[in-house]
């Protein structure tokens, strides 16, 4: 667990994380979340989920729970943390602002109160187990 | 202008939203180039506003403002140190 993220390394190996990302997307889409997927250069995938009320827009950019699914040596790491919808890094325009850590922390608290991070890790783990070759 | 500091629905801090609307901020992000003059002008702007604020505040409000500015400065220092730690050496 980081400051504003929850991470778990799951001991399942999959050839392609895309079906896992699809499962995570589908799970939250069914709960009326706005979802999108982006590829991570290391071979992983990132799923962004957001819903009004919990995830506020900061200076016109939509905050989201970004769920990164990345293959590692001993399995697959799943990381759920607050970020910007569909983007892998917090844009400089936001990091220049004095209060952005406060806002990120507030949004993270709201996500945690809804147990969204734990739910994301659980769904990803179930999907990894289902798609695993082990 | 009396604008709320926190979003009434989500309680999220709104001050950054107001910052990006300010001409001084827009000028900085437009060209990304900060001249000595811009830095000096911004410094003077801050000092002038702080003087106005000090005169306008009651002793109780001033004590809260002093503490708030101090904690904001700590937050700013934390951010700077974190960024420094995560940046690769030149």
């Amino acid at each position: 667990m980081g400051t504003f993220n929850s991470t778990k390394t799951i001991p399942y190996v999959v050839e392609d994380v895309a079906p896992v990302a699809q499962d995570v997307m589908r799970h939250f889409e069914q709960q009326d979340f706005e979802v999108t997927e982006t590829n991570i250069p290391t071979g992983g995938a990132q799923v962004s989920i957001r819903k009004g009320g919990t995830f506020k827009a900061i200076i016109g950019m939509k905050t989201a729970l970004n769920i990164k699914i990345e293959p590692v040596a001993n399995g697959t790491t799943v990381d759920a943390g607050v970020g910007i919808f569909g983007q892998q890094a917090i844009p400089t325009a936001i990091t220049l602002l004095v209060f952005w850590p406060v806002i990120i922390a507030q949004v993270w608290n709201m996500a945690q109160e809804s147990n969204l991070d734990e739910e994301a890790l659980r769904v990803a783990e179930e999907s990894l187990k289902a798609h695993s070759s082990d | 202008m009396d604008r709320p500091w926190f979003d009434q629905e989500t309680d999220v801090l709104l001050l950054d939203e107001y910052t990006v609307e300010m001409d001084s901020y827009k000028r900085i992000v437009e060209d990304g180039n900060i001249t000595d003059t811009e830095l000096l002008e911004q410094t003077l702007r801050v000092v002038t506003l702080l003087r106005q604020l000090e005169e306008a505040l009651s002793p109780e409000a001033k004590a809260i403002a002093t503490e708030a500015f101090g904690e904001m400065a700590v937050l700013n220092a934390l951010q700077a140190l974190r960024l420094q730690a995560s940046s690769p050496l030149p």
Side-chain angles (χ1 to χ4, degrees):
Chain A
M1 171 101 64
T3 313
F4 303 124
N5 65 315
S6 294
T7 303
K8 189 173 183 182
T9 298
I10 299 155
Y12 294 118
V13 178
V14 290
E15 279 184 26
D16 183 10
V17 297
V20 179
Q22 289 294 322
D23 284 348
V24 174
M25 283 176 73
R26 208 173 301 118
H27 174 86
F28 286 104
E29 216 166 14
Q30 284 167 357
Q31 297 176 47
D32 295 327
F33 278 85
E34 187 181 347
V35 300
T36 190
E37 183 190 357
T38 46
N39 291 324
I40 297 173
T42 54
Q46 176 181 284
V47 173
S48 295
I49 64 162
R50 74 180 310 278
K51 191 166 15 182
T54 304
F55 295 101
K56 196 189 175 312
I58 307 173
I59 61 165
M61 293 182 211
K62 295 171 175 178
T63 58
L65 187 74
N66 285 345
I67 305 143
K68 288 181 189 166
I69 306 159
E70 289 181 284
V72 289
N74 52 346
T76 308
T77 293
V78 183
D79 177 283
V82 172
I84 303 299
F85 190 75
Q87 296 198 31
Q88 282 168 30
I90 308 254
T92 310
I94 288 181
T95 59
L96 286 175
L97 298 166
V98 170
F99 292 111
W100 76 267
V102 177
I103 297 166
I104 295 289
Q106 288 183 310
V107 174
W108 174 241
N109 283 340
M110 282 190 271
Q112 273 202 312
E113 278 172 14
S114 312
N115 289 318
L116 276 180
D117 56 327
E118 285 177 20
E119 187 176 345
L121 295 185
R122 179 180 55 77
V123 173
E125 182 166 2
E126 285 169 7
S127 176
L128 280 163
K129 190 177 180 181
H131 291 99
S132 167
S133 51
D134 293 346
Chain B
M1 199 191 310
D2 184 17
R3 293 196 285 185
W5 288 0
F6 293 90
D7 186 293
Q8 287 189 332
E9 188 193 342
T10 61
D11 207 34
V12 169
L13 192 59
L14 295 171
L15 292 176
D16 280 345
E17 299 289 332
Y18 306 148
T19 301
V20 296
E21 293 169 10
M22 294 167 76
D23 289 339
S24 50
Y25 178 82
K26 283 180 189 166
R27 271 199 301 275
I28 291 169
V29 291
E30 258 172 26
D31 58 12
N33 184 27
I34 302 150
T35 63
D36 290 349
T37 309
E38 280 176 326
L39 193 61
L40 185 63
E41 282 175 0
Q42 186 62 23
T43 307
L44 292 173
R45 218 171 279 134
V46 170
V47 170
T48 304
L49 283 167
L50 286 175
R51 280 197 205 290
Q52 282 178 19
L53 192 61
E54 187 176 26
E55 286 169 17
L57 291 174
S58 67
E60 293 79 14
K62 190 181 162 189
I64 297 169
T66 303
E67 191 177 354
F69 288 136
E71 297 296 356
M72 278 164 55
V74 172
L75 177 63
N76 204 30
L78 287 175
Q79 272 183 259
L81 288 170
R82 262 216 168 173
L83 285 172
Q84 214 173 36
S86 63
S87 300
L89 292 170

